[in-house]
């Protein structure tokens, strides 16, 4: 129930923090312990872009996001064609027009969910929230 001694850190189990590393970010002007992302040389969120002019946020119209969205739309159109021509069948329980409508709903709901997942992951990488600090 005791805190580990410094000798256990020296044995290689864990590396101790540098002196003052915990309070380093909070000690800069304009920052607080609850907001470690301000101060300490961190760029403003609007200044971090993947392409385009430096300091100009691209938002929803960044080149990669638009290209990926167009790609998902094309894949959705191809899947719609496949669903209507190959998978729409009439059975005793469902007519062919109902089968086509069901195929269209399934295809576009799937495309939307996959696009939304991809877009969130892509945009999360546009503005990273964590920046490593190299300690020598």
């Amino acid at each position: 129930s005791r805190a580990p001694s410094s000798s256990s850190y020296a044995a290689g189990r864990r590396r101790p923090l540098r002196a003052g590393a915990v309070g380093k970010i909070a000690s800069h002007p304009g920052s607080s312990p609850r907001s470690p992302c301000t101060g300490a040389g961190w760029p403003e969120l609007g200044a971090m872009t993947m392409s385009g002019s430096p300091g100009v946020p691209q938002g929803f119209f960044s080149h990669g996001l638009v290209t990926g969205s167009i790609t998902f739309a094309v894949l959705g159109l191809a899947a719609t064609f496949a669903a209507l021509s190959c998978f729409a069948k009439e059975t005793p329980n469902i007519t062919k027009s109902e089968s086509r409508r069901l195929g269209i709903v399934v295809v576009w709901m799937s495309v939307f969910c996959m696009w939304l997942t991809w877009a969130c992951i892509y945009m999360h990488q546009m503005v990273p929230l964590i920046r490593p600090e190299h300690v020598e």
Side-chain angles (χ1 to χ4, degrees):
S1 300
R2 288 183 13 194
S5 66
S6 62
S7 64
S8 68
Y9 286 110
R13 286 190 211 155
R14 294 183 183 175
R15 280 182 58 191
L17 288 174
R18 239 180 343 125
V22 175
K24 179 181 175 193
I25 294 175
S27 65
H28 284 72
S31 64
S32 70
R34 292 185 179 261
S35 177
C37 292
T38 59
W42 288 73
E44 294 297 321
L45 291 180
M48 299 172 69
T49 61
M50 290 189 69
S51 63
S53 303
V56 179
Q58 299 295 313
F60 290 113
F61 297 109
S62 73
H63 178 69
L65 196 58
V66 171
T67 303
S69 298
I70 292 171
T71 302
F72 272 97
V74 169
L75 290 174
L77 291 173
T80 300
F81 175 75
L84 293 178
S85 63
C86 301
F87 298 108
K89 296 182 180 179
E90 187 167 348
T91 65
N93 295 329
I94 189 170
T95 65
K96 190 163 186 167
S97 68
E98 290 172 338
S99 179
R100 286 181 178 182
R101 286 191 308 210
L102 179 63
I104 290 172
V105 168
V106 168
V107 163
W108 285 104
M109 284 185 68
S110 300
V111 167
F112 175 75
C113 290
M114 288 186 287
W115 171 81
L116 186 62
T117 301
W118 170 82
C120 288
I121 292 168
Y122 185 87
M123 287 189 287
H124 179 71
Q125 294 175 28
M126 289 170 69
V127 183
L129 298 178
I130 299 172
R131 188 171 80 181
E133 179 181 328
H134 300 286
V135 179
E136 295 180 17

